[in-house]
Amino acid sequence: MQLDLTQFRGRHVFVAGGTTGINYGIAEAFGRVGARVAVLSRSAENVATAQARLQALGGEALGCVGDVRQPATVQEAMARAVAAYGPIDVLVSGAAGNFLALAAEMSPNAFKTVVDIDLLGSFNVLRSAHEHLRKPGACVIQISAPQADTPTPWQSHVCAAKAGVDMLTRTLALEWGGEGIRINSIVPGPIADTEGIRRLAPTPEALERMTARVPLQRMGRCEDVARCALMLASDWGSYITGAVIPVDGGLSLTGPRDFASAAAAAAAARSRA
Ligand code: COA
Ligand code: NAP
């Protein structure tokens, strides 16, 4: 028995925050198996690059410039995507922001900015998509983070925001289950060569310490996360909803991380710049 990837041919996959890193990896994985993929993010350059890379795979792709903090731009992007590709079969909500800062030192606007992007932004994406999701059959995937479940110094903003993201997943699984919509969170561990890791492990030493903490003793790859997304969206995932699924080499079993030295290294790099 094999996962039948032909089931994604012609499917509409919309990835919010899908132009770089882990989320782009998910967009590309669906593109490679024949889905029609729309990606949304703020930077016109990121959007153009992602759209061109997706089109180079030989399929259809649409790039939309927009900010998940602005519901109108999300609605407009989705309307364009739905006009082009029909109802959304797979929705990925992964836009996020992060930096290392202690709660007592960050400004209220710094905290609010991350909550606005990660949590309110996710709500805006899910809320805007609801009318466009295929019913029954749509699959929604939120990209969470280990901080949602593990209290982590220097990350109070992300902890609070991503905890909200996972609770949104669980709650909407109840509200939308009757319409045949499934929704789950994927919780990536440390994924190599991503902006998130550049921010949380800014030096080779920090990267080494982080890798050493992972029970499987390696950093994750974007394709590790993308494969989980493919499985969830496939018929193999058809009875999974409201789940929060770590793809983290076991990191979530190891307790809080210490970002103090990573934060000092990041601050030193900033003061040198
Ligand atoms: N430490 C403390 N505060 C910081 C900070 C840092 N490293 N970086 C930004 N802030 C504060 C700013 O000072 C500002 O607060 P203020 O108005 O009180 O001064 C607030 O956060 C908003 O910053 P701004 O640069 O205006 O936000 P933005 O909306 O342009 O960008 C960020 C959002 C800050 C999250 C930006 O880093 C970003 O765009 N990130 C996306 C990429 C990313 O983080 N990827 C990893 C995902 S895991
Ligand atoms: P990334 O490349 O920076 O991905 C974030 C994406 O979101 C970018 O494409 C960015 O593009 C977009 N984005 C940011 N703010 C946005 C906004 N306001 N509106 C619309 N789009 C916005 O970082 P990443 O490390 O791959 O992280 C991707 C996801 O994985 C995030 O949800 C993160 O929390 C999660 N995660 C990452 C790791 C890791 O190891 N990297 C671990 C756990 C969880 P623009 O700049 O063009 O807007």
Side-chain angles (χ1 to χ4, degrees):
M1 196 167 67
Q2 281 188 335
L3 180 58
D4 174 16
L5 294 170
T6 64
Q7 66 189 286
F8 294 116
R9 277 188 205 147
R11 296 296 169 141
H12 179 181
V13 177
F14 188 104
V15 187
T19 60
T20 62
I22 293 171
N23 305 326
Y24 175 77
I26 295 173
E28 185 176 303
F30 280 102
R32 282 186 187 282
V33 293
R36 298 182 295 177
V37 183
V39 290
L40 169 136
S41 85
R42 297 163 303 172
S43 149
E45 192 186 337
N46 285 349
V47 168
T49 304
Q51 178 177 298
R53 286 179 70 188
L54 290 165
Q55 285 170 342
L57 300 173
E60 291 180 68
L62 179 70
C64 306
V65 177
D67 190 321
V68 296
R69 291 170 286 188
Q70 294 165 359
T73 66
V74 178
Q75 282 156 16
E76 197 183 312
M78 276 176 192
R80 271 182 68 206
V82 169
Y85 301 152
I88 299 171
D89 296 289
V90 181
L91 173 72
V92 180
S93 175
N98 196 359
F99 45 81
L100 289 166
L102 289 169
E105 291 170 8
M106 82 174 95
S107 71
N109 191 44
F111 189 93
K112 177 179 183 296
T113 297
V114 169
V115 172
D116 278 354
I117 301 172
D118 293 28
L119 178 54
L120 292 176
S122 291
F123 177 79
N124 293 336
V125 168
L126 270 44
R127 174 72 184 84
S128 300
H130 181 253
E131 65 176 301
H132 300 301
L133 291 172
R134 190 178 296 284
K135 301 177 195 75
C139 170
V140 180
I141 297 170
Q142 300 224 77
I143 306 302
S144 183
Q147 293 91 321
D149 192 48
T150 306
T152 308
W154 301 86
Q155 290 281 271
S156 60
H157 45 339
V158 176
C159 291
K162 293 289 195 180
V165 166
D166 286 348
M167 193 47 89
L168 204 49
T169 290
R170 295 188 177 104
T171 306
L172 296 194
L174 298 178
E175 290 194 11
W176 294 358
E179 296 174 280
I181 300 168
R182 295 182 297 108
I183 172 165
N184 297 289
S185 286
I186 294 178
V187 186
I191 305 298
D193 301 322
T194 58
E195 184 58 27
I197 281 304
R198 280 187 280 279
R199 289 174 182 228
L200 297 187
T203 62
E205 297 73 36
L207 206 52
E208 210 171 291
R209 269 198 308 276
M210 191 175 272
T211 309
R213 288 208 56 186
V214 178
L216 287 182
Q217 296 290 294
R218 71 164 173 88
M219 299 285 286
R221 304 179 195 104
C222 288
E223 70 191 44
D224 292 320
V225 181
R227 284 177 180 172
C228 182
L230 286 169
M231 186 281 290
L232 280 174
S234 77
D235 50 357
W236 283 21
S238 65
Y239 203 51
I240 305 175
T241 196
V244 175
I245 303 172
V247 179
D248 68 352
L251 184 72
S252 57
L253 307 173
T254 65
R257 285 171 285 167
D258 176 11
F259 284 120
S261 50
R270 271 201 304 278
S271 67
R272 278 197 301 275

